[in-house]
Amino acid sequence: MSDSFLSLLILLVLYIFSASAQPYEDYDDKSSLYSTKSDTVFSLEVPTLDETTFDNLLSFGYYRKTCPQFESILHNKVKEWILKDYTLAASLMRLHFHDCSVRGCDGSILLKHDGSERTAHASKTLRGFEVVDDIKAELEKQCPKTVSCADILTAAARDATFELGGPYWAVPYGRKDGKVSIAKEADMVPMGHENITSLIEFFQSRGMTVLDLVVLSGAHTIGRISCGSIQYRLYNYQGTGKPDPTLDPKYVNFLQSKCRWASEYVDLDATTPKTFDNVYYINLQKKMGLLSTDQLLYSDPRTSPLVSALIASHSVFEHQFAVSMGKLGIVDVLTDQDEGEIRTNCNFVNAY
């Protein structure tokens, strides 16, 4: 079977998979569940998760009566921050991923105390906390003790994606904020040095699939990383005294000129770093995956057919990214009052 035929077959499977999803039952305007900056119209069904996935504990209308202005406040704040600094979009998406990767999407990454996830080595480059704090402060004025920090971060990641041209998806609400945050648990989050097997196991342990792994890695179409994180690939890879041979030589030269200091930053997508698109996958085909885990997606037989399919269609990438982000946002959520709380300040558990 030729590679091109296999890619087309995978592409067809992705379309069928996405189109088979059932629309949400309790959302008034189903046509607004999914859209892009360009308002492109697709013939597929809206990318959704079956309502039973939430066991009726999360709801799209959760704040409809208690804080109807929640999403408009959040949207305006996220837009305002990203206009000032577009790199915050990728930071908010990454912050959400780190939160959901440890103890589920419970806002535990936001807690600021000695020994919390926020203080872990894996969290030292996380950003976007001030955006969440700003949104929360305004919501406390308008709807005191109502909207959880976990819901704020989940929706902020969605809006940040949309602001850079990515898809929009409906977020169900009702998450409670966790009260426990442990630094050593945060060090389990992938940092870009893992092999594909460990990444697959990490995602599967959280109820996600290989497809979700490949699609959510596409978030690296935006964002930056410190040069210190990749210098091992540029100069003395595995003690050879040479760069990583899986990197394109011209790309190596570019990176070496950009990364003279470990404290410098380099774009994850060297081609279209400010646009949410599928060029990230095209870069892998050109041996321009900045993280070793990125490049491995193209070479590993378990993931390479999916990469090839996403190279072939930007619309499929956007569509499936919305589905996979929706799945990420409901990982191990806390919904019972006894499990969590509604923090009044996202940095600290409530004193009462």
Side-chain angles (χ1 to χ4, degrees):
M1 182 181 295
S2 69
D3 289 343
S4 60
F5 179 80
L6 183 58
S7 295
L8 288 173
L9 180 60
I10 294 294
L11 192 61
L12 178 61
V13 171
L14 285 176
Y15 267 113
I16 294 172
F17 173 79
S18 300
S20 65
Q22 295 298 315
Y24 293 121
E25 295 300 328
D26 69 342
Y27 198 82
D28 293 334
D29 183 8
K30 292 181 177 134
S31 65
S32 66
L33 279 169
Y34 172 61
S35 61
T36 65
K37 278 285 190 180
S38 59
D39 291 323
T40 304
V41 178
F42 301 105
S43 59
L44 297 174
E45 292 290 329
V46 169
T48 59
L49 301 172
D50 193 300
E51 185 72 13
T52 58
T53 303
F54 314 129
D55 296 325
N56 295 319
L57 297 176
L58 296 180
S59 168
F60 298 105
Y62 192 82
Y63 296 117
R64 191 170 292 158
K65 294 182 179 179
T66 57
C67 192
Q69 63 270 53
F70 162 48
E71 287 205 325
S72 63
I73 289 173
L74 180 137
H75 173 72
N76 290 334
K77 288 291 187 180
V78 170
K79 187 179 184 69
E80 177 185 318
W81 278 93
I82 291 176
L83 279 174
K84 291 188 290 186
D85 180 2
Y86 82 92
T87 66
L88 282 170
S91 296
L92 287 168
M93 293 166 65
R94 183 172 177 234
L95 191 59
H96 175 54
F97 178 77
H98 276 248
D99 183 42
C100 296
S101 294
V102 182
R103 294 181 171 268
C105 309
D106 66 346
S108 55
I109 190 63
L110 304 173
L111 289 173
K112 190 177 182 180
H113 61 73
D114 290 341
S116 69
E117 294 169 33
R118 190 166 169 173
T119 66
H121 174 74
S123 306
K124 68 179 183 178
T125 57
L126 292 179
R127 301 168 62 233
F129 297 100
E130 68 275 27
V131 181
V132 176
D133 289 341
D134 189 26
I135 296 167
K136 180 61 173 175
E138 183 61 29
L139 287 171
E140 284 301 303
K141 294 176 184 177
Q142 303 295 329
C143 317
K145 303 178 182 180
T146 302
V147 182
S148 71
C149 301
D151 278 347
I152 291 171
L153 181 53
T154 303
R158 184 269 316 278
D159 277 33
T161 304
F162 186 68
E163 284 304 313
L164 288 196
Y168 185 95
W169 60 95
V171 173
Y173 299 118
R175 298 165 188 78
K176 297 296 187 293
D177 296 321
K179 301 178 182 180
V180 178
S181 185
I182 302 171
K184 65 180 180 181
E185 293 181 352
D187 287 325
M188 298 184 298
V189 180
M191 296 296 289
H193 306 292
E194 297 77 16
N195 57 44
I196 294 299
T197 297
S198 64
L199 289 177
I200 290 174
E201 290 174 349
F202 180 86
F203 271 71
Q204 288 180 337
S205 68
R206 286 150 181 81
M208 305 188 80
T209 66
V210 177
L211 175 59
D212 296 318
L213 162 62
V214 176
V215 169
L216 292 182
S217 294
H220 292 168
T221 183
I222 57 175
R224 306 178 301 166
I225 191 170
S226 66
C227 288
S229 301
I230 60 161
Q231 283 183 330
Y232 77 100
R233 300 188 71 197
L234 304 182
Y235 300 102
N236 187 29
Y237 184 68
Q238 296 184 349
T240 62
K242 299 178 180 179
D244 185 342
T246 65
L247 283 171
D248 176 77
K250 291 182 180 179
Y251 188 43
V252 170
N253 291 336
F254 168 78
L255 292 173
Q256 288 176 341
S257 67
K258 291 280 291 184
C259 289
R260 293 175 181 173
W261 302 97
S263 58
E264 297 288 341
Y265 284 85
V266 63
D267 293 317
L268 286 161
D269 177 351
T271 310
T272 57
K274 297 182 181 181
T275 305
F276 190 95
D277 54 29
N278 69 332
V279 173
Y280 159 80
Y281 299 104
I282 297 171
N283 289 340
L284 303 187
Q285 194 176 40
K286 297 176 180 179
K287 300 176 69 174
M288 293 173 60
L290 188 60
L291 300 178
S292 61
T293 46
D294 290 333
Q295 197 59 53
L296 285 172
L297 293 176
Y298 187 69
S299 60
D300 191 284
R302 292 166 292 182
T303 53
S304 59
L306 294 169
V307 172
S308 296
L310 295 169
I311 287 173
S313 176
H314 171 71
S315 62
V316 168
F317 166 53
E318 283 206 337
H319 186 92
Q320 188 58 42
F321 190 84
V323 174
S324 294
M325 282 294 282
K327 289 176 65 178
L328 174 66
I330 61 170
V331 170
D332 295 334
V333 294
L334 307 177
T335 54
D336 193 283
Q337 199 64 47
D338 295 333
E339 296 178 315
E341 62 183 5
I342 305 297
R343 289 184 217 140
T344 54
N345 184 322
C346 293
N347 298 276
F348 310 102
V349 296
N350 294 333
Y352 53 87

